[in-house]
Structures are given as C-alpha cells and as structure tokens.
Amino acid sequence: MAKQQTPLRVIPLGGLDGIGKNMTAFEYGDDLVLVDAGLMFPDDEQPGVDLVLPDYSYVLENEDKLRGILITHGHEDHTGSLPYLLMDLGRKVPIYSSKLTLGLIEGKLAEHKLNAPKFREVKNGTHINLGAFSIDFFSQTHSIPAALGVYMRTPAGSVLHTGDFKLDQTPIDGRLPNYQAINRFSTMGIDLLLSDSTNATRPGYTPSEATVGPSLRHIIKNAAGRVFVASFSSQIHRIQQVCDAATCVGRKVVVTGRSMINNTRIARELGYLKIDQDDLIDAYEVHDIPDEKIVVLCTGSQGEPMSALARMANGDHKSLTITADDTVIISATPVPGNEKSVQGIINALSKIGCTIFDKSTTVVHVSGHASQEELKLMLAMTRPRYFMPVHGEAVHLRAHARLGEAMGVPRDHIFIADNGDTLEMRNGQVSWGQPVESGVVYVDGLNVTDSDPVVFRDRQKLASDGIVTCVVTVSRRGGEVGDVALACRGVTFDSEGLVEDAQRLVKEQMSKRAHKSGSNLETLRKAARSALSSYLWDKTRTRPMVIPVIMEV
C-alpha cells in the first residue's frame, strides 16, 4: 500500500493534566474538528482566578480550517470555555451536540450576552460529514442525560472518542450505551481509542445511578422536617430521582440556586426532567406549607461560598434558613481541591444541629465515570490498534494505560500524552508528531490572560504575610529626610515601640544614602525597602510585601 502522505493529527489541548478543561483537536489537511471545549476551576495556588481555560491559540491560528465543534455532553468541564472561544473566533462555526447539551450551552452563552451560534442537533445514530471527516455519534451513559461518544473516519484512519461514560445497565431514562454501534465500529476498525480515565484507579464497576433512588426515598420519607438536597445542577438524573421521591411521599419541590433554577427549567422545557408544575413551588411560598411537605433542591454540593446551601447554612439566604429540625443530603462527591470547602459546609451544618447525609454514610451519590472493569470492557469491545488514555491526572492516565496493556494492546501502541503533544496517523499507523503550543489561560474578573506567575506570587505573598506601605518625604535641595509614615494591612506589630523603631531605622538608612553623591529616588526606595524588610524579618519572622513611596518636596 502506498504511504499515506497527509496524516490525521490528534492534538489534545486540555484534559490531560487534571480533571477538567477537556479539549481535543483533530486535523486532516485543510480540515479541523474540535471535540469539547471545557474549563477547570482554580486551586489554592491561583488566588483571585475565576476560571482556568485551555490555551486554544492553535485553534485560532487555524480558524479557516475549523469545520465544526463537537460537544459530547453538557458538563462545564466540556462546555465552559465555549463562550470565550466563540468570542475569539472571527466567524460562526457550527456546534454539534444533543438537544439538552445545546440547551445548556445556549443558556451559558446568554449569560455572556452572545447570540446563539450555528447549533446543529445530533443524537444517537446521527451521521455527519465535515470536510474529510466522516463522523458518527452514539449514546453513552454518564451523570447527565444525552451524553454522546464520537467515531470518526478519515483517509488516514479512524478514531473512537468515548467522551465521559460509565456502562450503566439500568439508566434512569432507559437509554443504554449503544453497544451495537460500538461493536459495529470495532468491526469496521478502530485505529485509535481515546477513552475516559477519570476512575481508572478505582477497581470493579461503578454502581448504577438507579441505586441512589431507594436511599433518597427512604431519607425523604422518614425525615421529620424539610429535606435539603445539594447536587450538581447538571445532574438531571439525580434531580429526577429527588423529584420522584418527593412527589411519591406527597412533598412539594423548591428549586433554589441560579444554575439549579436555570438547568431544571431547560431540562423540563426539553423533556429531560419530568415533574408536574403543581409539584413545584417558589422559595417564597414555603412558609405557607408544613415543613414535612417540602424538599429543597439546591446548589452547593462543592462547598461554594456563594451557593444556595452555604447561604442557607449561614442564614444569608433571602427566603430559606436551615434549622435543627431539617435534613440535608449532600448528593455529590467533592471535586479534587474542594474537600476543605465541603467539610466547612458540613461543619457549619453540624453546628446548626440538622441531620446530614453524604456518600460516606449512605448511598446518596454514585460516580458518572467508568471504573476499571468497565474500562476493560470498553477496550474489549473496541479492540483498538492504538490507545491514548484521556480525561484525567497523570496517575489516572497511567493506570488506564496499564489496563490497556492487560487487555492486549502492545505497550508501544499506547500513548500517554500531555496537553500540546501530537499524534500523527498514516494508513492507520500512529506515531508521535510535532507538539503545538499549549498551556492554560486564566479568567480573572473581566480579564482573560495567559499565566502570570508573578501576579500569583504577589497575591500569595499578600495573603500569607500582608503588605506594608512606607511613605517618606525628601527635600529636593538638601536631601533632608522627613518623617516616615507606615501603613500596614495583614501585618501584626506587637507594640507601638516596634513601629517607632522601624520608622527610625528607615529614616537612618535613607539619610545615609541621601547625602551620598549619585543617589537618586530609586536608590532611596531600595534602601527603605531593604531596611524595612530586614527589620520585619528579625522582629516578626514574616516577609510582608514592602512598598516604599518617596516624595520629593
């Protein structure tokens, strides 16, 4: 067979250095297809940052090639960077996804005051052609309805991208993974498998979403007062089970929290969430109904300080307050990095005296991701020639790679990549290609910027040691140093004597420099900063940020 000259390039731009900001580009000649456009939430090392996005500059540089954006499902880590990407693109690019996912994306774009782009609804079994790409969508089960996987063929070979999935045999909406399609694609040939690695370190099988229902019903039925259920607002299957349990025992459902209100409205309008309007009440109407007849659906399962659950626990919510007679169900697992925040909410609720259930005590949450045995089943069904684990931290990708090897994929056919690494496929043969620019972009208020470690270091310093401002006047002619004024924020001085000593030391050091020939304002600033920093370290063992302000008079 003649060597295929044009390669299919597989370019992960996000999702291989943590749980989140999933984004993968597929490029063949003059055609480019993007799968997912997600975000990640910041950690403690990124103070002041609101969101973390993948660096999609490669997509912008090749915008003329971009034929479409495929979104596998409606979670933020797969859709969250879309508003920013669409603002940066110079033209409208069609977005392909399921009806629910497109509805959630439309709501997200409306928050950014963006007009709806070219939405193209697809579903299980849909086939489309985008340039050289022949693409088939197939249903997957996940912790949100209408999740899809993608199978794409090109002249250089074929790729199957699982999206996020678990193999749930009893899904709430009855929509099973499309095993027939997966096996058909396997028969046609899968040269490269990209598979979800989130739970690759977890043995066994992930329990079905249906196992949560009996626990929720039991708690809601036997609770003496109101029941508050905190969950992800996109977990429509979980919300459906809460609604079913509530109506089954004659309770009304209150929905609170901005994203919970928006997502439940969209899901009801599109037919993915089924509850009668009569069973829904406004948060302001709860005082007219007995406590034992109410279930409150709210945001806050990740301990977010401004969420509905946090505000109700702290007594700041405009219409609801949690009391000792209430029951709280935290129906989620903390996203890595959020454990302390979630524990803080649990402690605040414990002080109130209410009854608390979470996954450590009762089956009120199950994961939406496949565990090891399901990942092995996916490998067995797809029988890929080459395998690249995606969607996970380094430990998950390597654990998944070991599963691939155990399932018969040769070690040299398994690619553990990082963001920006490139795979090239020619005639179904996969090899490493030339890396592209990658990294992260930070959303900081209204600014969208590349990483700036200097800013983060400054913020961390301010947070840990505080700031001291030193204001000094110097006569322009004689170089006489006037009084020194110190202003402190976040710095502890044990006594007034320490402040006076610091002022005297700065004045002495500056006076020495001011009378030397060649001294200028910058020299005096350095003298003030050095003297004050050294003094504070000696006396307090802290290194606050020192800002000297020298004024000539």
Side-chain angles (χ1 to χ4, degrees), residues 504-514 524 527-528 531:
R504 185 167 56 252
L505 180 66
V506 169
K507 187 169 182 176
E508 287 173 3
Q509 292 297 318
M510 286 187 60
S511 296
K512 288 180 185 176
R513 299 293 172 89
L524 296 176

Side-chain angles (χ1 to χ4, degrees), residues 76 92 95 98 116 181 206 215 243 249 283 309 321 394 406 408 416 450 535 543:
E76 290 267 322
K92 286 200 170 185
I95 297 176
S98 60
T206 301
S215 297
C243 292
V249 297
L309 182 63
T321 303
I416 300 175
D450 291 337
Y535 178 80
R543 294 194 186 279

Side-chain angles (χ1 to χ4, degrees), residues 82-159:
L82 259 180
Y84 303 94
L85 175 61
L86 296 178
M87 281 189 274
D88 289 337
L89 289 170
R91 63 187 179 89
K92 286 200 170 185
V93 177
I95 297 176
Y96 297 84
S97 198
S98 60
K99 183 165 66 171
L100 174 64
T101 306
L102 292 178
L104 296 174
I105 291 171
E106 189 172 20
K108 181 65 64 179
L109 297 182
E111 292 178 16
H112 290 261
K113 298 182 169 55
L114 288 173
N115 293 327
K118 298 177 179 176
F119 281 150
R120 302 284 187 270
E121 183 188 331
V122 295
K123 54 189 176 184
N124 177 45
T126 298
H127 174 84
I128 61 171
N129 291 308
L130 294 176
F133 291 86
S134 173
I135 297 170
D136 292 277
F137 295 89
F138 60 95
S139 65
Q140 290 278 44
T141 45
H142 186 40
S143 54
I144 187 172
L148 297 168
V150 179
Y151 176 63
M152 53 177 71
R153 287 168 291 163
T154 71
S158 60
V159 180

Side-chain angles (χ1 to χ4, degrees), residues 158-228:
S158 60
V159 180
L160 188 140
H161 192 310
T162 65
D164 283 1
F165 79 98
K166 69 177 183 179
L167 300 179
D168 193 338
Q169 311 309 320
T170 53
I172 299 305
D173 57 4
R175 296 179 183 273
L176 290 163
N178 192 336
Y179 298 112
Q180 295 87 345
I182 295 169
N183 284 288
R184 187 173 76 252
F185 301 144
S186 176
T187 303
M188 294 164 64
I190 296 170
D191 294 313
L192 176 64
L193 171 68
L194 276 60
S195 184
D196 174 18
S197 307
T198 306
N199 273 353
T201 57
R202 184 181 294 182
Y205 296 86
T206 301
S208 168
E209 176 64 29
T211 60
V212 177
S215 297
L216 291 174
R217 280 197 299 275
H218 178 77
I219 295 169
I220 291 171
K221 179 181 179 182
N222 293 292
R226 297 171 299 177
V227 179
F228 294 79

